[in-house]
């Protein structure tokens, strides 16, 4: 079958995200004997036009649409691709037709679809959806479509039955290898935008964070790749593509720490010269040798996800570690010399003004200097299927049956949003490396800095230079005196939204 796989994520909240998940599916679908085209529209200036032309030239028999994000998960400047995606679906339905004029089957997939599950079918008007990993499920679904049989026994498929959307339970694959992404995308676009090449070393997460949907997407059991196989993939991509930086995109790169250590040791053993970063460092398991070893292996930065800096909220959010772990992680990060971006979420169940103060004070006083950037979210996105969604209903915060495909956020009734936002701004005046997610996306000043860094062939991620930029005296003064310069609207307007 001719299968068109579409990736249209144009979000620029931090850096452009390449389609690693869809590349895994494309590689598996091609191996199953299908003719596959992956259409990457992440940088398209005329997305509808390019999509329409691709459909006309390729004449697909099945279209798969990968949806990465439900929205940007920021309450104060909420943004959702829902309408744009529905317009893309309408275009696909209008243009992609069988010989007798019927719309070809449309299959949805991606992280957002794994969260929405069967609710995605009526939302987008699709025929099928794949929940969880698609490497085995999608080819099996294509076989069922070709034989005109219902997918009633294919794990992880959502479909229509008697006019209602239903879901088959998902089944995790035994293992996975390299993504094959180099076969499917033009890396030059991502390189120019400061992107990093994604590498996945494991799937699954056994943690119980109340807000997190990762276990819904990848399961609750770690499935780890052999360190040698991971480094084989890095060496191959380095030779064939040559990205400036590789990013380990596991939900928690360092859990368990011995797996991360084995990968770093294998990189060093082979003498591989490359730059690395990691999007998920969990404070739970940070042995003394981890960060120094990462730095020796070529890491230039890492993202660290405590989400809170007080015992009560670490417990309420189900983080599975304590402030002792957070303090130790902070100290070891500072000693390593690696640059790190720390993430905090205020407003979860049981949050009070006192607990907000503890977390803000930690970032204000401990995460200082050129090594650290702190990002604060106020209000937590309630995702379907999470413990937070259940708690929101049990505590009367949301009505049962609320459609969580549309933006709903948990903000503890014990805090005042305006006061919290003002307190974070006060912390910014004392520690300029603190950022409110509400402030806005990448600024014009950041874009200018990033252009210079690209011209100088500096390895990304470029967010690691934010502390130096934000500490620049003129910009520091403007952020301190005029919050709207960064936020895009007056602080009083933020309070009213």
């Amino acid at each position: 079958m001719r299968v068109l796989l579409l990736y249209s994520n144009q979000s620029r909240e931090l850096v452009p995200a390449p389609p690693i998940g869809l590349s895994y599916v494309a590689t598996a679908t091609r191996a199953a004997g299908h003719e596959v085209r992956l259409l990457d529209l992440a940088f398209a200036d005329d997305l509808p036009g390019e999509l329409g032309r691709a459909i006309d030239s390729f004449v697909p028999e099945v279209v798969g649409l990968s949806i990465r994000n439900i929205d940007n998960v920021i309450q104060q400047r909420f943004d959702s691709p829902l309408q744009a995606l529905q317009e893309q679906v309408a275009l696909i339905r209008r243009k992609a037709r069988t010989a007798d004029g019927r719309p070809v089957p449309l299959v949805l997939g991606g992280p957002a679809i794994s969260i929405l599950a069967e609710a995605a079918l009526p939302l987008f008007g699709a025929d099928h959806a794949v929940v969880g990993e698609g490497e085995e499920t999608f080819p099996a679904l294509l076989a069922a479509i070709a034989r005109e049989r219902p997918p009633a026994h294919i794990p992880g498929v959502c479909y229509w039955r008697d006019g209602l959307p239903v879901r088959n339970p998902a089944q995790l694959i035994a293992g996975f290898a390299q993504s094959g992404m180099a076969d499917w995308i033009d890396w030059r676009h991502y390189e120019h935008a400061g992107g990093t090449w994604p590498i996945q070393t494991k799937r699954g997460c056994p943690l119980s964070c109340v807000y997190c949907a990762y276990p819904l997407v990848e399961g609750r059991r770690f499935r780890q790749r052999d360190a040698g196989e991971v480094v084989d993939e890095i060496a191959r991509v380095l030779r064939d593509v040559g990205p400036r930086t590789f990013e380990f995109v596991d939900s928690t790169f360092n859990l368990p720490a011995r797996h991360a250590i084995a990968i770093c040791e294998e990189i060093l053993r082979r003498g591989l010269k490359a730059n690395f970063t990691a999007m998920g460092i969990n404070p739970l398991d940070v042995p003394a040798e981890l960060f120094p070893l990462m730095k020796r292996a070529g890491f230039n930065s890492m993202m660290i996800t405590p989400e809170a800096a007080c015992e009560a909220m670490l417990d309420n959010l189900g983080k599975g570690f304590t402030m002792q772990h957070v303090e130790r992680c902070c100290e070891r990060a500072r000693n390593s010399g690696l640059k790190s971006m720390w993430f905090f979420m205020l407003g979860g169940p049981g949050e009070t003004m006192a607990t907000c103060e503890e977390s803000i004070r930690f970032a204000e006083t401990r995460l200082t200097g050129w090594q650290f950037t702190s990002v604060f979210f106020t209000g937590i996105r309630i995702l379907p299927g999470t413990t937070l969604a259940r708690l929101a209903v049990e505590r009367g915060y949301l009505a049962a049956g609320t459609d969580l495909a549309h933006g709903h956020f948990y903000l503890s009734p014990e805090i005042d949003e305006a006061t919290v936002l003002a307190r974070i701004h006060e912390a910014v005046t004392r520690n300029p490396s603190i950022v409110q997610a509400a402030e806005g996306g990448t600024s014009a000043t950041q874009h200018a800095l990033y252009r210079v860094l690209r011209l100088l062939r500096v390895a990304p991620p470029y967010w690691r230079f934010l502390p130096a930029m934000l500490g620049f005296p003129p910009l520091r003064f403007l952020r301190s005196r005029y919050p709207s310069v960064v936020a895009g609207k007056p602080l009083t307007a933020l309070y009213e939204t």
Side-chain angles (χ1 to χ4, degrees), residues 2 8 11 72 154 172 174 199 226-227 261 278 289 315 353-354 367 387 399 416 444 449 491:
R2 288 186 308 279
S8 60
S11 172
N72 67 346
I154 303 175
L172 300 177
I199 297 288
D226 177 75
I261 288 170
E289 69 269 27
D315 185 56
M353 296 303 295
L367 303 179
T387 300
D416 178 73
L449 173 65
L491 194 60

Side-chain angles (χ1 to χ4, degrees), residues 5 153 174 252 270 362 368 374 403 484:
L5 299 177
H153 302 293
T252 50
R270 297 195 195 184
F362 177 84
T368 58
S374 302
D403 183 3
S484 61

Side-chain angles (χ1 to χ4, degrees), residues 204-220:
C205 183
L207 302 179
S208 300
C209 304
V210 300
Y211 53 85
C212 185
Y214 257 107
L216 302 177
V217 179
E218 297 184 353
R220 293 190 175 276

